[in-house]
Amino acid sequence: MRDFYGTTLANGFMLGTAQYPSPAILADAFTQSGAAVATVSLRRESGADRAGQDFWAMIRDLGVHILPNTAGCHSVKEAVTTAHMAREVFGTKWIKLEVIGEEDTLQPDVFGLVEAARILSEDGFQVFPYTTEDLVVADRLLNAGCEVLMPWGAPIGTGLGLNNPYGLRAMRAHFPDVPLVIDAGIGLPSQAAQAMEMGFDAVLLNTAVAKAGDPVAMARAFAMAIEAGTLAATADPMEPRDMAAPSTPVIGKAFLS
Amino acid sequence: MSRDITIVGGGVAGLSVARAVTDRGANVRVIDRAAGLGPHACSWWAGGMLAPFCEGETAEEPVVRLGQEAADWWQAKTGAVTHNGSLVVAHGRDQSDLRRFARRTTDFETVRGDDIATLEPDLGTRFQNGLFFPSEAHLAPRAALAALREGLERDGVTFELAEVDPHDIDGTVVDCRGFAARGDIPHLRGVKGEMAVLRCPDVTLSRPVRLLHPRIPLYIVPRGDGIFMLGATMIESSETKHVTARSLLELLSAAYAINPAFGEAEVIEIGVDARPAFADNMPRIGRRGHVITANGLYRHGFLLAPALARMVAAYIFDEQSPEVFDEHYS
């Protein structure tokens, strides 16, 4: 398994911590899922005087790797400020970098993303940029110092799955050695399995679990799907073919007609 | 000889417990850190929706069940309840959220544009689909608390102004300090909420309206006389001083979406506080020595205070272990 800035994860499940019915259900969902990474968004207003510390302490107590994010940031400056605050609060160099460019689709502002990624990388951060499947942008992000890329499956919160399988396959093929995480748009475990089967290193999701009727059961369902997809990817899947191929041997069968 | 009980905290929890134990014949005094009702109490900023079925969207089962006691209780103790149901609507692009809300809740009728316009003429046919919860109710929190206190004073309950540690008081003590008890009660956290009050005589609503939105749960509660309460953000933070521009923007946008006439409204109040909550967002009754604690009402102050108060009274008078007893706190 590819490592993330030198850290090897137990599995490819990264789970968000927002929008759960309660912190108790959030904690159960993590226990049941065995997710290796918890993403947590930092509101600047809570960070300023540490007023969010009760919640953060609970996230730390989950005992998994913490990936703070800059969710909801619309400018480079905002994202950089939030990243610094996150580093102080959680004591990690990891930062999931989000610079939102469009309000309806919440798609990344890739220009601002590359700029912020450069600033943060030079400042010692290990950046996980939320990007599109665009290969040129991906290349710029790598040049800016990123060693992990997080292409979207579909717009945040839509649950539409892998919207552009061709583009994502191309990205996987184009960057065989870069850890790639499908981030956003995953609605069902089957979609997470598909991403892992395609050779992605992890999936990051939040709404699909947090807003499920039973978040704990759904977290477990995703864990199983991600494990299945991971295993399938390493098992050298068969190639599809146009004509049927009998799975039982034909030789030796009685020749009747 | 009747029993002496001291209640620390004069918000919705403290006053409700005072009512319940007074009704059981106790001699009650309430000690609060401020004289009279006011902005120091989280319940001062409440929406006052008595909407157990709507809360079922995200809350645990006991909230829905216990919350059904609230409307009758408040009506009996204060006479301040409006029984007009509540209405849930969503914009065209958020219809999937409305379907999800319907799957998770009960006791509603599905309503279409014309039905919505009949229920709330000032919404017009702006919303094509909605859910109407006919058995839900609402109240004006400050009026209800004032009426509750008046009734208690009439029945001989005394009110004292002091900031005290409940453990320094002798006799039976019920600690209803809410978030102020944070240092004494493990795992109690704050969930920040921001609200605004608008005056808009051009708009009339008969019941609370919830506007579903993928990120923010928003509602508008009519207070009568053209006054509307607009709430409420839910932020994992114990900060209680600052209302952010973004939160206000979201709240006001929701009002504007419900009826553009709110664009002309006068903003008469902006408020912020932290709701006291435990990890499962359920209230807890606990005991340490002679002090009983009743806390963690979260966003369900007016909805669950009657049930919580009933359980505290049963615990004291009947030695009946409360359904929401906190075994970890003793």
Side-chain angles (χ1 to χ4, degrees):
Chain A
M1 195 171 165
R2 296 171 190 88
D3 64 55
F4 299 83
Y5 292 101
T7 300
T8 305
L9 300 177
N11 58 55
F13 195 177
M14 301 186 176
L15 184 56
T17 56
Q19 297 190 314
Y20 290 79
S22 70
I25 291 176
L26 186 167
D28 275 1
F30 267 87
T31 309
Q32 282 297 310
S33 69
V37 173
T39 62
V40 54
S41 74
L42 201 69
R43 291 190 63 138
R44 286 167 297 297
E45 54 175 296
S46 312
D49 51 8
R50 303 289 176 270
Q53 57 187 337
D54 292 340
F55 186 69
W56 302 331
M58 215 209 65
I59 303 291
R60 279 193 216 97
D61 288 347
L62 295 172
V64 301
H65 294 281
I66 294 178
L67 175 58
N69 67 41
T70 65
C73 289
H74 285 72
S75 71
V76 173
K77 191 178 167 191
E78 251 187 307
V80 169
T81 309
T82 306
H84 278 273
M85 204 171 268
R87 182 163 66 179
E88 240 179 86
V89 168
F90 292 107
T92 173
K93 292 181 193 170
W94 283 13
I95 187 76
K96 178 191 154 184
L97 182 60
E98 245 184 74
V99 184
I100 297 301
E102 213 280 322
E103 199 50 50
D104 276 337
T105 58
L106 298 176
Q107 73 189 85
D109 167 2
V110 293
F111 302 95
L113 184 69
V114 172
E115 192 188 334
R118 174 168 297 115
I119 293 169
L120 291 171
S121 297
E122 283 171 2
D123 204 8
F125 283 91
Q126 298 174 333
V127 179
F128 294 62
Y130 166 59
T131 183
T132 67
E133 66 277 49
D134 189 293
L135 299 180
V136 181
V137 172
D139 211 44
R140 297 285 162 91
L141 287 167
L142 296 175
N143 287 337
C146 298
E147 295 175 21
V148 175
L149 298 172
M150 309 231 280
W152 63 353
I156 295 169
T158 59
L160 291 172
L162 307 184
N163 240 357
N164 180 5
Y166 160 75
L168 291 170
R169 250 195 305 273
M171 191 175 194
R172 179 69 285 178
H174 199 74
F175 301 105
D177 301 321
V178 177
L180 299 178
V181 182
I182 296 290
D183 178 11
I186 299 287
L188 287 169
S190 55
Q191 296 159 352
Q194 186 194 0
M196 299 309 288
E197 286 164 8
M198 283 164 67
F200 285 90
D201 298 281
V203 292
L204 195 166
L205 55 105
N206 188 342
T207 313
V209 166
K211 291 274 189 172
D214 184 345
V216 180
M218 191 59 90
R220 177 141 173 67
F222 268 103
M224 294 163 89
I226 288 165
E227 192 185 349
T230 307
L231 203 55
T234 58
D236 189 14
M238 67 170 280
E239 291 294 329
R241 46 181 293 150
D242 289 333
M243 294 299 159
S247 53
T248 45
V250 181
I251 296 165
K253 197 174 171 186
F255 184 74
L256 295 175
S257 56
Chain B
M1 200 190 93
S2 60
R3 188 161 185 166
D4 293 332
I5 296 177
T6 303
I7 291 160
V8 185
V12 69
L15 294 184
S16 299
V17 169
R19 185 69 265 172
V21 295
T22 302
D23 290 348
R24 298 289 304 261
N27 272 332
V28 178
R29 67 168 172 160
V30 177
I31 303 179
D32 195 45
R33 60 187 157 131
L37 300 162
H40 64 288
C42 178
S43 34
W44 183 253
W45 306 106
M49 290 187 292
L50 304 175
F53 301 109
C54 281
E55 288 304 310
E57 185 220 356
T58 51
E60 307 270 344
E61 179 276 333
V63 173
V64 179
R65 176 166 43 82
L66 300 172
Q68 291 176 51
E69 298 175 25
D72 288 347
W73 194 90
W74 286 105
Q75 182 60 30
K77 309 299 178 191
T78 71
V81 177
T82 307
H83 288 92
N84 275 348
S86 49
L87 187 61
V88 179
V89 293
H91 285 297
R93 56 190 286 173
D94 298 329
Q95 290 303 302
S96 59
D97 291 303
L98 195 64
R99 288 193 294 274
R100 189 172 52 81
F101 198 96
R103 282 203 305 276
R104 308 267 168 83
T105 53
T106 58
D107 294 71
F108 60 82
E109 299 160 11
T110 304
V111 285
R112 307 275 172 224
D114 290 345
D115 311 321
I116 295 172
T118 307
L119 283 167
E120 294 291 359
D122 279 355
L123 290 188
T125 50
R126 212 166 278 122
F127 298 97
Q128 285 311 303
N129 294 294
L131 308 172
F132 177 49
F133 293 77
S135 62
E136 295 188 336
H138 67 282
L139 50 70
R142 295 172 197 178
L145 290 179
L148 196 57
R149 179 169 169 142
E150 246 177 68
L152 289 167
E153 282 171 341
R154 240 189 341 260
D155 292 341
V157 173
T158 56
F159 288 81
E160 293 172 27
L161 170 68
E163 185 141 14
V164 292
D165 181 338
H167 291 276
D168 294 341
I169 300 166
D170 295 331
T172 304
V173 179
V174 189
D175 178 358
C176 295
R177 289 177 295 159
F179 193 59
R182 185 188 183 200
D184 294 341
I185 300 180
H187 307 304
L188 191 68
R189 76 188 203 284
V191 181
K192 180 180 174 179
E194 295 147 291
M195 58 84 90
V197 180
L198 306 181
R199 189 198 316 271
C200 187
D202 297 344
V203 179
T204 304
L205 295 176
S206 303
R207 54 186 64 74
V209 178
R210 290 184 190 226
L211 177 63
L212 298 187
H213 182 283
R215 293 192 299 280
I216 330 140
L218 292 156
Y219 56 81
I220 185 157
V221 187
R223 296 273 194 254
D225 298 326
I227 308 289
F228 297 88
M229 184 273 187
L230 198 55
T233 52
M234 303 272 288
I235 300 166
E236 287 291 345
S237 168
S238 52
E239 194 268 307
T240 60
K241 289 187 190 71
H242 313 291
V243 176
T244 63
R246 176 181 34 206
S247 294
L248 206 52
L249 195 63
E250 284 167 355
L251 293 173
L252 294 175
S253 303
Y256 188 76
I258 283 170
N259 190 327
F262 279 116
E264 299 298 317
E266 178 192 350
V267 178
I268 54 179
E269 198 175 358
I270 296 170
V272 56
D273 212 334
R275 311 166 180 92
F278 292 104
D280 58 0
N281 294 337
M282 287 285 297
R284 291 272 193 291
I285 293 167
R287 169 163 218 149
R288 198 161 59 186
H290 65 292
V291 177
I292 296 164
T293 61
N295 212 319
L297 282 168
Y298 181 51
R299 58 183 267 174
H300 302 129
F302 285 84
L303 187 65
L304 294 185
L308 192 74
R310 169 176 60 73
M311 288 186 236
V312 169
Y315 185 46
I316 294 172
F317 287 93
D318 312 328
E319 289 172 25
Q320 188 184 320
S321 181
E323 176 183 340
V324 294
F325 193 71
D326 186 359
E327 285 145 25
H328 304 293
Y329 178 66
S330 56

